[in-house]
Amino acid sequence: MAAGLAERSCLELGPAARAPPRRLREVAFSPPGTSPLPLGRYGDSAGGFCYRECAQLGAATRNRFVRWTTSGDTLELVEESLDNELLNNAVRLCIQGCPLLPGGVHICEVQSHLVVLLVTVQSVHRVVLPHPACSYRSELIMESQIQSVFTDIGKINFRDPANYYLIPSVPGLASNSVASAAWLSSEGEALFALPSAAGGIFVIKLPPHDLPGTVSVVELKQSSVVQRFLTGWMPTAIRGDCGPSDLPISLSVHCLDHDAFLFALCQDHKLRMWSYKDQMCLMVADLLEFMPVSRDLRLAAGTGHRLRLAFSQSLGLYLGVYMHAPKRGQFCVFQLVSTESNRYSLDHISSLFSSQETLVDFALTSAEIWALWHNEENQTVVKYINFEQNVAGQWNQVFVQPLPEEEVTVRHDQDPRETYLEYLFMPGRFTNAAIQKALQIFSQGTERHMDLTWDELKKEVTLAVENEFQGSVTEYECSPEEFWQLQVEFWSKFYACCLQYQEALSRPLALHLNPYTSMVCLLKKGSLSFLVPCSLVDHLYLLSNEHLLMEDDAAILDDLEMSRDVVCLVQCLRLIGESISMEMAFIMEMACSRLQPPEKAAEQILEDLIANDTDNVMEDIHSKLQEIRNPIHAIGVLIREMDYETDADMERAHPLNMRMNLTQLYGSGMAVSVVCWGVCKIATIRFLICRDLLILQQLLLRLGDPMVLGGGQLFQSQQDLLHRTSPLLLSYYLIRWASQCLASDVPVDTLESNLQHLSVLELADTTALTTHKLVSSPQTIVELFFREVARKHIVSRLFLQPNTSLAETSLNWPHLITAIVADFLPLLWPSNPGFLFPECLMGSCQYTQLQEYIRLLQPWCHVNMGSCCFMMGRCYLVMGEGHKALDCFCQAASEVGREEFLDRLIQPEEGEMVSTPRLQYYNKVLRLLDMVGLPELVIQLASLAIMESADDWRSQATLRTCIFKHHLDLGHNSEAYVALTQNPDPSRQLDCLRQLVVVLCERSQLQDLVEFPYVNLHNEVVGIIESHARAVDLMTHNYYELLYAFHIYRHNYRKAGTVMFEYGMRLGREVRTLRGLQKQGNCFLAAINCLRLIRPEYAWIVQPASGAVYERPGASPKRSHDGEYTAVPTTRQIEILELEDLEKECVLARIRLTLVQHDLSTAAVAGSSTPEEMVALLVRAGLFDTAITLCQTFKLPLTPVFEGLTFKCIKLQLGGEAAQTEAWDWLAANQLSALVTTKESSATDEAWRLLSSYLERYPSQNSLYHRCVINKLLAHGIPLPNWLINSYKKVDAAELLRLYLNYDLLEEAADLVLEYVDAVLGKGHQYFGIEHPLSAMAPMVWLPYTAIDQLLQALQESTTNHYNVVLYEKLHDKLEDYHQKVSMASRDRLYRHN
């Protein structure tokens, strides 16, 4: 069907800009020497300029062009690009008091500069800008934003005399012509050709911008080729050389290497051609010869004629002339022909007639004419014609963008505000600028609304209309009907205001034709629109009836009869479409929106059409149907043309490292909006075609006439076509909806969070998901998709085919835009296998839109059903409806392995265990749910997945572990335990068990932990708790107590006792604090209790290992300080502890606690001290009672106690008041016997008394304790107290004597011997413990002769001391006396014995 595309109509694509009006940089200046003139003399004008290399793929100026509009003395210049966003691309130039001539803007391109030449009524100007190719190398333009050619325009000195010149008063500018031409010579001079006041042309020449020189003015006259300068100028009007008839009304220039041909279309209907170089008129042609003229036309001055040139390297120079006559006009196309003798003539190519009244502009190529008119109703009409091929002179229509409806219909069941807002802010209807201007007027200038975003504008409009409305309601109460009516009035008033400004802003000022890319644009005030080829189906449907009748004879298909059938079919559809009222159209719209069958809606509309058929439309349709030879085939052809369903997905795009110079192709906001608006227009038209086709098919079914249906056609075929048309209609409805659905603004943190979720699915790096670019206006979701994803796919397909040579490729706009839209529609087509569009919406966080998209899609589209379910689940997940999401994910599982998106979703990671596709799918969804934080859903889905993995124990283990983890997170301890026991993998089971223990301990849910049965896991649990108990801090974790409870619960008392004993041992070693010692005591008591609960023969435990060294599985090998592995310790000897041993440890622990309670500073050493060390600590602290208890428990000698107490007594005796006060503290800690004296005793006295009481209470063999006390006293030079001497004399006087001798106490020793001898002889014997003194009747007595001899020897040797001599003699005498008595007693005893 593409055969006839070359001569088809075009569509205007001018999407209404939703961005705030562009901010233009203001540059204003007043040329010196000018005087302000009124500005309303000329109407607004517009024009455009194309770079020479704009069609080259590798050029820096690719797809760039400049457009401008003039209004009074203001020129707005905007550089546009279809590839990049241009920065600083708009400027408003105000030449104060100098109105610009319409068409007085000319832009010329040289190698390194872009030169703007301006013509005002008083002056000419030159603006020199750096060429974009000098700023950017094309292969490096990869950024989405680049600088415009106008970036540095603010730096230009517009008052520089070298770049402007005032138009001289002689010859002066003609007041009744606005013609002008300007060009650059090959030497760089700027030339301006203008109509002179007296008729004819004069040329102003400015010297090159970078060379000094003077300005010259030249007049071109037919009578002479002599160059006349301003000096010595004589007005030509005086000489009569030229007349008013010579006045050019349209000027064009064609530049040669060293000359320029100036073409002037004059008032006398003649075309004159001048050579600027030779100052000579080379040709005059009377154009009236080429058109039917009347005498009136020949005599009237031609004021509406237009002239355009078109040059082709192969065909030469073409001239297009529009000859204006009242009520009609004619285009003549000529080719310039030169002869050998340098004479020129015109070769007439074509004459084309037009009935339109007012020509606004026209453009010429070497093959076509494009024309823009305003008709009698002041509506825009654009047409084009190929004057070489179209012999019949039939113009092709351009379907211009219609203005929005004049009135908005609001039904009584609708809210006026909502209805009008929806209509006003529907993308594509009204521009932001029009609504802002309307708002300004409607608010009566009270507020200045500038640069409002789309959403802000919506709020401001609502506020403004509501305020006006509220201010006008004077009645306190009004009925709902009155309230509704008032609302409608105010909203319709605002709507009318918007419509007025929209109409003004969308009025075309000029045509812009790019000869390099064949792109045609309509230039409007502040915006532009593009003309693109119309597809054949749309072309036939949109054509007016008279044009459609002409198509009847055209071979639009290879089969002429089928072509006629299709045209007749489209005529039937047109008849139906024109008969459908707004209410009928609404029926179909609502059916699609509410997911009702379109066939039913079509049937209802058909019934309404038949019921309301006042114009006999049904008869016309019936008669037209009779002309169709094969309606079923014709309908099939039409459906095939509109169906974009493909068998396989379009090949996925190469990543766009494709070619650097293609990365931004058609990537600008303007290109995106044009392509997407084209898709929207096509979808809108096709929706109407499908709607009318459905109604027609219902009519065919109703008629049931075999003659109408075609001979032998089956009813079933018609039904099949009906069911093919319905999805087609719904597909276009969906694409149209998406093209008008705005994307939501998404915060950056939400996008990042979304990207994290998608990274779990491993979709974050696919081509459908890229960084979310910031755009200046709210974009539709189709624009978002094209910008982010589809454009790269399409460009890859178009330009990266193996046989495509990019260097030779030039861009042809009509072909490319058609190809892009044709490739874009399959990517959007709902029933194609590709799923990029919903994937892009998901990646861009457009979940509300995605949800609505799937809602509209699911009931009728049976492709990608699983992927849609998955997407819907993702939407529900974001909306917080987890259970709905889970249902969707489960539904999607059935399609895994059948759909491309789900297949990509389940691609296994590198090194990941490969299982069945469905299990891989479940795994991805489980990870997603886990990241979102929905453990209940994870459990549900994992439980479902377990049923799928009956034969895969590894997957079972993974899923059971997942269930365990989330049950545990939720606090479902019993369920977590069950999941743990069902895990088939022992290592995972052990991991879960370890986690269970740790988590329940952290939560203090110890009862659950203890009471679980742990079938076949008992030893593992004990091992885990033990390893944790030995590895963590004792005071912050209670693993030992947990283990104790665990064993107690199972009546394993010996193990419980072992645990508590080990706990106590470690507390003593590692926790040397008061609290640690308190816990240690409790631990030992608990251990004793455990052993007392079992029979005595089993009441024992194994001594735990000393230190903190425990063999733990998996522990790293230990190294010594030099890095070598330490030797593995040999098996230690097992030590058995019985109940008695535990009781001893308990006593020791209690005593440690007593010590630390008395003196906290001892805590650091008391914890792990041995009994011997503890005795020393207790003695030092003064806890002598406790020390004695400890010694008795562990059967230790009391010597350290007595020595310590003796030393304290010595200190007290020698110390001062401070020592006395301090002593009372430790004295109070020991149990003293009641005081026996009435006088107040000192601390020293009490200490001595305590020592005395201990010596009495704890007798020792051989008076060991007395001896150690006396030794201590004598060693410190302290005189022995009498009570101690008397006490020891009774026990061991001889040893006392030896002690005296040891410490050289001769006097005391002598006195003791004297007393001792007397006691033996019977005097005071009871004080020395002698029961029977010396007597023949009594037992034998003895004296310590050795010691006495030592004493005598010592006394004898110290003769220097007189007192010692006396003692010696006294002692000697006493001994002599004793010996005599002993001798007598011995004899008596012997005598008696015999």
Side-chain angles (χ1 to χ4, degrees), residues 628-649:
I628 303 177
R629 183 179 57 86
N630 192 336
I632 300 296
H633 195 183
I635 291 171
V637 168
L638 206 57
I639 289 173
R640 279 196 302 278
E641 277 297 310
M642 294 190 292
D643 195 351
Y644 284 91
E645 187 171 329
T646 54
D647 295 333
D649 186 17

Side-chain angles (χ1 to χ4, degrees), residues 354-587:
S354 165
S355 60
Q356 268 73 23
E357 180 63 31
T358 309
L359 181 76
V360 178
D361 192 16
F362 83 97
L364 177 73
T365 72
S366 55
E368 294 175 338
I369 290 177
W370 291 76
L372 166 66
W373 292 274
H374 286 150
N375 65 11
E376 293 174 355
E377 289 80 31
N378 209 21
Q379 293 173 332
T380 299
V381 177
V382 183
K383 292 186 178 182
Y384 79 97
I385 189 168
N386 187 312
F387 52 77
E388 289 193 331
Q389 296 177 2
N390 196 322
V391 182
Q394 179 62 46
W395 289 81
N396 296 294
Q397 279 190 294
V398 174
F399 302 111
V400 295
Q401 184 101 355
L403 285 169
E405 299 290 336
E406 289 191 8
E407 291 182 1
V408 177
T409 304
V410 186
R411 300 193 314 276
H412 280 282
D413 60 340
Q414 291 178 308
D415 176 26
R417 179 176 63 183
E418 292 300 323
T419 306
Y420 272 98
L421 282 175
E422 182 183 350
Y423 198 87
L424 279 167
F425 290 91
M426 176 69 73
R429 284 211 177 112
F430 288 89
T431 62
N432 187 304
I435 299 177
Q436 284 206 34
K437 284 181 178 289
L439 181 61
Q440 194 69 41
I441 296 299
F442 193 80
S443 302
Q444 297 172 351
T446 52
E447 296 177 32
R448 185 149 179 82
H449 302 282
M450 291 294 289
D451 296 338
L452 296 177
T453 65
W454 199 241
D455 288 335
E456 290 168 349
L457 188 58
K458 195 171 184 178
K459 290 174 187 172
E460 289 293 334
V461 165
T462 308
L463 201 61
V465 178
E466 291 296 314
N467 285 344
E468 288 285 322
F469 168 65
Q470 298 292 344
S472 69
V473 177
T474 53
E475 298 290 332
Y476 185 71
E477 289 184 4
C478 62
S479 66
E481 291 78 13
E482 292 172 334
F483 186 83
W484 183 88
Q485 191 60 46
L486 279 170
Q487 274 192 306
V488 170
E489 280 180 28
F490 277 89
W491 277 104
S492 61
K493 178 183 171 187
F494 178 76
Y495 180 79
C497 212
C498 291
L499 200 60
Q500 182 182 347
Y501 280 106
Q502 181 67 26
E503 185 175 359
L505 289 174
S506 59
R507 187 179 179 86
L509 298 174
L511 274 166
H512 170 55
L513 191 150
N514 185 328
Y516 309 107
T517 64
S518 303
M519 180 177 74
V520 183
C521 300
L522 288 181
L523 303 180
K524 307 176 183 182
K525 193 169 179 64
S527 67
L528 78 161
S529 59
F530 298 81
L531 306 185
V532 299
C534 205
S535 70
L536 183 58
V537 175
D538 305 342
H539 162 76
L540 292 175
Y541 187 76
L542 294 174
L543 271 182
S544 57
N545 286 331
E546 62 270 17
H547 285 84
L548 194 58
L549 290 170
M550 293 175 185
E551 290 287 346
D552 207 352
D553 299 324
I556 57 174
L557 295 173
D558 296 335
D559 183 345
L560 186 58
E561 287 191 353
M562 182 50 63
S563 298
R564 287 176 178 165
D565 279 0
V566 170
V567 170
C568 285
L569 180 65
V570 172
Q571 286 175 327
C572 292
L573 298 181
R574 285 285 302 274
L575 287 169
I576 291 171
E578 289 166 0
S579 305
I580 290 177
S581 66
M582 194 175 292
E583 290 77 12
M584 295 177 191
F586 186 71
I587 292 171

Side-chain angles (χ1 to χ4, degrees), residues 191-244:
L191 298 115
F192 300 86
L194 301 167
S196 69
I201 306 167
F202 67 96
V203 180
I204 300 173
K205 181 175 74 174
L206 302 184
H209 71 92
D210 50 356
L211 294 174
T214 57
V215 178
S216 64
V217 179
V218 174
E219 185 181 18
L220 301 180
K221 306 193 307 294
Q222 286 179 259
S223 59
S224 172
V225 296
V226 178
Q227 184 174 344
R228 294 183 177 275
F229 292 94
L230 280 174
T231 52
W233 187 276
M234 180 184 291
T236 53
I238 298 172
R239 292 198 310 269
D241 293 333
C242 294

Side-chain angles (χ1 to χ4, degrees), residues 944-1002:
L944 187 67
I946 283 171
M947 293 185 238
E948 300 272 348
S949 61
D951 302 327
D952 187 349
W953 70 269
R954 287 190 178 86
S955 297
Q956 285 254 350
T958 304
L959 293 167
R960 297 275 183 202
T961 303
C962 179
I963 292 173
F964 161 81
K965 174 187 176 295
H966 288 92
H967 270 313
L968 192 59
D969 291 345
L970 289 169
H972 302 163
N973 300 341
S974 301
E975 292 85 348
Y977 172 75
V978 171
L980 177 155
T981 58
Q982 293 172 342
N983 200 316
D985 184 349
S987 65
R988 282 181 182 267
Q989 192 177 49
L990 197 59
D991 290 342
C992 293
L993 189 60
R994 193 173 289 112
Q995 194 175 355
L996 180 73
V997 171
V998 173
V999 170
L1000 292 189
C1001 282
E1002 287 174 352

Side-chain angles (χ1 to χ4, degrees), residues 113-128:
H113 292 95
L114 196 69
V115 182
V116 182
L117 304 174
L118 306 176
V119 181
T120 76
V121 294
Q122 296 191 74
S123 56
V124 294
H125 300 264
R126 172 173 56 193
V127 180
V128 182

Side-chain angles (χ1 to χ4, degrees), residues 4 8 77 170 264 324 397 444 455 479 485 660 757 760 904 957 999 1034 1037 1155 1169 1378:
R8 292 294 160 240
L77 286 160
V170 177
H324 173 72
Q397 279 190 294
Q444 297 172 351
D455 288 335
S479 66
Q485 191 60 46
M660 282 198 296
H757 294 170
V760 170
R904 278 191 295 116
V999 170
L1034 292 172
H1037 297 83
L1155 173 63
S1169 301
Y1378 172 71

